[in-house]
Amino acid sequence: MTVFLLLYLCADASRTDCQVFPTQQWMGDTAYEQCLAAVPSLTKALTATNRTRHRFVCEIQTDDAKPAEEARPRFIHQSFRM
């Protein structure tokens, strides 16, 4: 299994205008757990303002996915408004 740590850099807290950057990659049976373990310290390193705008996401790549250099992470935005 291959897991990518993705950084979503967003212009504002609504996260409607974001750019996605792969920042790290793990391979193996514990790849997802290693990625999840890295997220809290990286999030804590962001300023309080940036914590509301940017976020780190662990994404599992399937074996049939393109190599990391060719893969373009997908951003799925869901908005719930009342």
Side-chain angles (χ1 to χ4, degrees):
M1 165 174 29
T2 302
V3 176
F4 289 99
L5 178 63
L6 305 176
L7 172 60
Y8 285 76
L9 292 176
C10 305
D12 59 36
S14 70
R15 294 190 176 125
T16 57
D17 182 23
C18 300
Q19 292 183 352
V20 183
F21 298 95
T23 58
Q24 194 158 345
Q25 171 185 345
W26 290 270
M27 297 178 77
D29 294 339
T30 61
Y32 191 71
E33 289 79 9
Q34 291 175 15
C35 182
L36 289 178
V39 171
S41 62
L42 293 170
T43 302
K44 188 176 179 181
L46 294 172
T47 64
T49 301
N50 283 337
R51 275 185 224 128
T52 63
R53 291 189 217 164
H54 312 320
R55 65 182 170 141
F56 293 96
V57 175
C58 296
E59 183 177 289
I60 298 171
Q61 289 293 132
T62 59
D63 291 336
D64 59 344
K66 297 178 184 176
E69 304 84 351
E70 299 174 20
R72 179 91 174 131
R74 294 176 297 149
F75 176 71
I76 299 170
H77 175 74
Q78 294 181 345
S79 178
F80 303 115
R81 298 173 194 229
M82 306 278 293

